[in-house]
Amino acid sequence: MADTLYDTDLIIIGGGPAGCAAARMAAGVGMRSILIEPDRLCRNLYRIPALNNVLGGHTSGPELADSVVAELKSTELCRLELGRHVTELCADEARVTVTLDTGTRLTAPYAIVATGVGPPQPRDVTWITAPDGLTLPPLWQADADAAEGRTLLVLGGDRPIGTFLRAHPTTDMRLLVAYPEADAYKIEEIREDSRVTLLPVEHLMLSPAEGTSVSVEAVNQEGARQTITADAAYLSIGNAPTAPSGDLTRGLDGYCPPTDQHPRVIVAGDLRSARFQRIMTAMGSGSEAGLHAYYAARELLAKG
């Protein structure tokens, strides 16, 4: 489907499950693609120690990631641009132009944006007050061996807590999970784990780190205050969209609804909505996006 007016048939921004599935589907229907990823392919999959909602017999993120990466790297129609950032995405009536951090511009009839989401910091949520410059790691970065016999404070009740606990069923640790009312529905799967203490809060105030321990002042929903101390603190406060700059339409929540985009820009994976952030839905939407680009390109050729 090559056209001398373009560098490739399809540009894919993001190399997670959605972007990789889009590239594989595009190759399957004969489309050349360029996939741009600032890190390694499926980088977040490698950080998921246990899987329980993915078809194919894969029981861990690294196992699934290795399979996806091996298949994509064997796809000759997909050119990988790893270690590169997209600084701007421009779409007009004739093409999509993507600018890389090197200054290189790439063009194609269509682009799929599958940049997904990333973890925000305490300063990014309204229910936490934190000192300027304070950053905390997400829970999936915690070393389970180092957590043995320790108390970890987890800010937020997002679902990766359950994944972390299932991946380390014999680790003797204590998780103090401080979460706002909006996260109440998320903590049901961890409620019965004896290693978890649930702390519903209205607001948290983080103090500057002193030594190796952490201390926070919590205000519960009745207005009562208490001081919580732990050996270390981690985040589980959800994710925020990581869309590139340029011609993407964002909703009030920062996500990019597929139906609101320029006709030449297709959004896939977790960037679409906070409601469907699962590996299987990302891969399915990536495959669908690849087919969308294929049929749209065929219509262009027919009109030409």
Side-chain angles (χ1 to χ4, degrees):
M1 295 181 66
D3 190 313
T4 56
L5 295 175
Y6 309 108
D7 293 305
T8 188
D9 298 322
L10 177 65
I11 295 172
I12 301 168
I13 307 172
C20 289
R24 187 65 189 88
M25 179 61 74
V29 292
M31 296 184 78
R32 299 175 308 149
S33 67
I34 298 174
L35 188 152
I36 305 159
E37 165 58 46
D39 203 318
R40 66 193 297 195
L41 294 175
C42 294
R43 67 187 186 279
N44 287 333
L45 275 183
Y46 282 105
R47 299 163 177 164
I48 300 176
L51 297 176
N52 68 345
N53 60 356
V54 174
L55 294 173
H58 300 291
T59 59
S60 75
E63 182 185 347
L64 175 59
D66 283 344
S67 174
V68 171
V69 170
E71 184 163 351
L72 190 60
K73 287 186 174 180
S74 69
T75 303
E76 295 181 358
L77 289 176
C78 179
R79 168 182 146 197
L80 297 175
E81 288 283 347
L82 301 181
R84 298 272 67 91
H85 290 266
V86 172
T87 59
E88 190 169 23
L89 168 70
C90 296
D92 57 33
E93 293 183 2
R95 64 181 58 81
V96 176
T97 302
V98 169
T99 304
L100 304 185
D101 52 356
T102 58
T104 301
R105 286 188 173 88
L106 301 170
T107 61
Y110 293 93
I112 293 174
V113 184
T115 48
V117 296
Q121 284 296 318
R123 61 183 175 273
D124 299 320
V125 295
T126 59
W127 60 278
I128 299 176
T129 299
D132 291 341
L134 176 69
T135 61
L136 294 174
L139 181 61
W140 50 257
Q141 287 186 359
D143 184 326
D145 291 335
E148 183 76 30
R150 304 180 77 209
T151 297
L152 307 183
L153 174 63
V154 182
L155 306 185
D158 213 40
R159 292 189 176 93
I161 301 173
T163 301
F164 182 76
L165 290 168
R166 288 192 298 272
H168 308 293
T170 62
T171 302
D172 182 18
M173 58 186 167
R174 184 185 182 205
L175 297 190
L176 304 178
V177 180
Y179 64 95
E181 185 177 0
D183 283 3
Y185 73 99
K186 300 178 183 179
I187 50 85
E188 291 305 317
E189 65 174 307
I190 63 173
R191 184 181 293 279
E192 302 302 322
D193 194 302
S194 61
R195 297 170 293 176
V196 172
T197 299
L198 296 175
L199 302 168
V201 300
E202 184 74 23
H203 197 80
L204 275 182
M205 286 150 284
L206 285 169
S207 302
E210 294 184 7
T212 57
S213 64
V214 62
S215 176
V216 302
E217 184 175 354
V219 180
N220 66 22
Q221 278 134 10
E222 286 72 45
R225 293 173 178 263
Q226 71 175 117
T227 299
I228 302 169
T229 59
D231 296 304
Y234 294 90
L235 297 176
S236 190
I237 57 177
N239 294 292
T242 56
S245 299
D247 293 334
L248 275 169
T249 301
R250 296 164 174 78
L252 294 176
D253 57 1
Y255 288 89
C256 302
T259 55
D260 295 346
Q261 306 307 316
H262 189 283
R264 292 188 180 273
V265 176
I266 307 162
V267 175
D270 292 355
L271 190 61
R272 300 172 300 159
S273 166
R275 298 186 64 183
F276 301 107
Q277 292 182 6
R278 296 290 187 276
I279 295 166
M280 291 296 289
T281 56
M283 295 178 77
S285 75
S287 297
E288 184 179 358
L291 281 178
H292 181 151
Y294 169 70
Y295 286 117
R298 287 187 62 181
E299 291 178 10
L300 276 181
L301 289 174
K303 291 177 182 177

